[in-house]
Amino acid sequence: GHIWIQLVLFILFSGFLQAYQPSFWALPSSFLSASAAAASIGLINCLGGLGGFVGSFIMRYLVNRTGSFAAGLAWLLVNCVVAGVLVLCLRGPRLSSNEGPTYVS
């Protein structure tokens, strides 16, 4: 019965879900060489298409298995949290006072 509240929440959710993209696509070139960054961007595009198929397949399976969208949406939420934690675990360049960036392995 609260269609306007639902509409506003869906708009906010969509905005928050897409807000990561500018910083996400800058990650490979921030700590990889030019050729490695190009290869990693290609790999991201390849796996992204596969993830779109697998994610919808798992969502459909969970909805059919449980009869509710709650399990499928919980699965998607867990994937978003895991992806965020993995990005936070990345190590970037460490700058020292007298030389260029040194990369931590």
PDB file of all heavy atoms in Angstrom, residues 1 12 21 31 33 52 54 57 66 68 70 97:
ATOM      1  N   GLY A   1       0.795  -1.193   0.000  1.00  0.00           N
ATOM      2  CA  GLY A   1       0.000   0.000   0.000  1.00  0.00           C
ATOM      3  C   GLY A   1       0.842   1.264   0.000  1.00  0.00           C
ATOM      4  O   GLY A   1       0.321   2.342  -0.168  1.00  0.00           O
ATOM      5  N   LEU A  12      16.890   4.452  -4.510  1.00  0.00           N
ATOM      6  CA  LEU A  12      18.095   4.536  -3.690  1.00  0.00           C
ATOM      7  C   LEU A  12      18.943   3.277  -3.809  1.00  0.00           C
ATOM      8  O   LEU A  12      20.171   3.353  -3.926  1.00  0.00           O
ATOM      9  CB  LEU A  12      17.709   4.774  -2.228  1.00  0.00           C
ATOM     10  CG  LEU A  12      17.200   6.168  -1.884  1.00  0.00           C
ATOM     11  CD1 LEU A  12      16.722   6.205  -0.447  1.00  0.00           C
ATOM     12  CD2 LEU A  12      18.283   7.192  -2.120  1.00  0.00           C
ATOM     13  N   GLN A  21      30.952   1.679  -9.545  1.00  0.00           N
ATOM     14  CA  GLN A  21      31.587   1.485 -10.840  1.00  0.00           C
ATOM     15  C   GLN A  21      32.748   2.429 -11.154  1.00  0.00           C
ATOM     16  O   GLN A  21      33.773   1.961 -11.661  1.00  0.00           O
ATOM     17  CB  GLN A  21      30.542   1.510 -11.942  1.00  0.00           C
ATOM     18  CG  GLN A  21      29.704   0.268 -11.924  1.00  0.00           C
ATOM     19  CD  GLN A  21      28.871   0.108 -13.162  1.00  0.00           C
ATOM     20  OE1 GLN A  21      28.967   0.872 -14.100  1.00  0.00           O
ATOM     21  NE2 GLN A  21      28.039  -0.912 -13.165  1.00  0.00           N
ATOM     22  N   PHE A  31      47.263  -0.247  -9.417  1.00  0.00           N
ATOM     23  CA  PHE A  31      48.368  -1.015  -8.844  1.00  0.00           C
ATOM     24  C   PHE A  31      48.941  -2.068  -9.794  1.00  0.00           C
ATOM     25  O   PHE A  31      49.784  -2.851  -9.386  1.00  0.00           O
ATOM     26  CB  PHE A  31      47.978  -1.658  -7.508  1.00  0.00           C
ATOM     27  CG  PHE A  31      46.860  -2.653  -7.581  1.00  0.00           C
ATOM     28  CD1 PHE A  31      47.117  -3.983  -7.777  1.00  0.00           C
ATOM     29  CD2 PHE A  31      45.551  -2.238  -7.443  1.00  0.00           C
ATOM     30  CE1 PHE A  31      46.095  -4.898  -7.834  1.00  0.00           C
ATOM     31  CE2 PHE A  31      44.525  -3.137  -7.491  1.00  0.00           C
ATOM     32  CZ  PHE A  31      44.795  -4.466  -7.690  1.00  0.00           C
ATOM     33  N   SER A  33      50.687  -2.847 -13.864  1.00  0.00           N
ATOM     34  CA  SER A  33      51.292  -2.192 -15.023  1.00  0.00           C
ATOM     35  C   SER A  33      50.249  -2.057 -16.128  1.00  0.00           C
ATOM     36  O   SER A  33      49.151  -2.606 -16.037  1.00  0.00           O
ATOM     37  CB  SER A  33      52.490  -3.009 -15.510  1.00  0.00           C
ATOM     38  OG  SER A  33      52.053  -4.256 -16.021  1.00  0.00           O
ATOM     39  N   GLY A  52      26.639 -12.770 -14.741  1.00  0.00           N
ATOM     40  CA  GLY A  52      25.252 -12.423 -15.011  1.00  0.00           C
ATOM     41  C   GLY A  52      24.400 -13.652 -15.281  1.00  0.00           C
ATOM     42  O   GLY A  52      23.244 -13.726 -14.865  1.00  0.00           O
ATOM     43  N   VAL A  54      25.217 -16.908 -14.240  1.00  0.00           N
ATOM     44  CA  VAL A  54      25.215 -17.761 -13.049  1.00  0.00           C
ATOM     45  C   VAL A  54      24.353 -17.140 -11.943  1.00  0.00           C
ATOM     46  O   VAL A  54      23.606 -17.847 -11.260  1.00  0.00           O
ATOM     47  CB  VAL A  54      26.654 -18.023 -12.554  1.00  0.00           C
ATOM     48  CG1 VAL A  54      26.671 -18.729 -11.221  1.00  0.00           C
ATOM     49  CG2 VAL A  54      27.420 -18.820 -13.584  1.00  0.00           C
ATOM     50  N   PHE A  57      20.736 -17.678 -12.707  1.00  0.00           N
ATOM     51  CA  PHE A  57      20.428 -19.097 -12.559  1.00  0.00           C
ATOM     52  C   PHE A  57      20.257 -19.464 -11.088  1.00  0.00           C
ATOM     53  O   PHE A  57      19.300 -20.150 -10.716  1.00  0.00           O
ATOM     54  CB  PHE A  57      21.534 -19.949 -13.193  1.00  0.00           C
ATOM     55  CG  PHE A  57      21.307 -21.420 -13.056  1.00  0.00           C
ATOM     56  CD1 PHE A  57      20.419 -22.079 -13.894  1.00  0.00           C
ATOM     57  CD2 PHE A  57      21.961 -22.145 -12.086  1.00  0.00           C
ATOM     58  CE1 PHE A  57      20.198 -23.444 -13.774  1.00  0.00           C
ATOM     59  CE2 PHE A  57      21.751 -23.504 -11.946  1.00  0.00           C
ATOM     60  CZ  PHE A  57      20.863 -24.151 -12.800  1.00  0.00           C
ATOM     61  N   THR A  66      12.589 -22.401  -2.605  1.00  0.00           N
ATOM     62  CA  THR A  66      12.012 -21.900  -1.366  1.00  0.00           C
ATOM     63  C   THR A  66      10.623 -21.299  -1.554  1.00  0.00           C
ATOM     64  O   THR A  66       9.900 -21.137  -0.579  1.00  0.00           O
ATOM     65  CB  THR A  66      12.915 -20.836  -0.725  1.00  0.00           C
ATOM     66  OG1 THR A  66      13.019 -19.713  -1.606  1.00  0.00           O
ATOM     67  CG2 THR A  66      14.282 -21.393  -0.421  1.00  0.00           C
ATOM     68  N   SER A  68      10.097 -18.245  -2.366  1.00  0.00           N
ATOM     69  CA  SER A  68      10.173 -16.851  -1.944  1.00  0.00           C
ATOM     70  C   SER A  68      11.414 -16.215  -2.561  1.00  0.00           C
ATOM     71  O   SER A  68      12.407 -16.893  -2.828  1.00  0.00           O
ATOM     72  CB  SER A  68      10.254 -16.765  -0.424  1.00  0.00           C
ATOM     73  OG  SER A  68      10.541 -15.459  -0.021  1.00  0.00           O
ATOM     74  N   ALA A  70      13.189 -14.116  -0.916  1.00  0.00           N
ATOM     75  CA  ALA A  70      14.058 -13.748   0.198  1.00  0.00           C
ATOM     76  C   ALA A  70      15.402 -14.478   0.139  1.00  0.00           C
ATOM     77  O   ALA A  70      16.453 -13.868   0.360  1.00  0.00           O
ATOM     78  CB  ALA A  70      13.368 -14.020   1.523  1.00  0.00           C
ATOM     79  N   SER A  97      59.546   8.284   1.151  1.00  0.00           N
ATOM     80  CA  SER A  97      59.853   9.696   1.010  1.00  0.00           C
ATOM     81  C   SER A  97      60.812  10.001  -0.130  1.00  0.00           C
ATOM     82  O   SER A  97      60.732  11.073  -0.725  1.00  0.00           O
ATOM     83  CB  SER A  97      60.447  10.209   2.319  1.00  0.00           C
ATOM     84  OG  SER A  97      61.630   9.485   2.617  1.00  0.00           O
TER      85      SER A  97
END
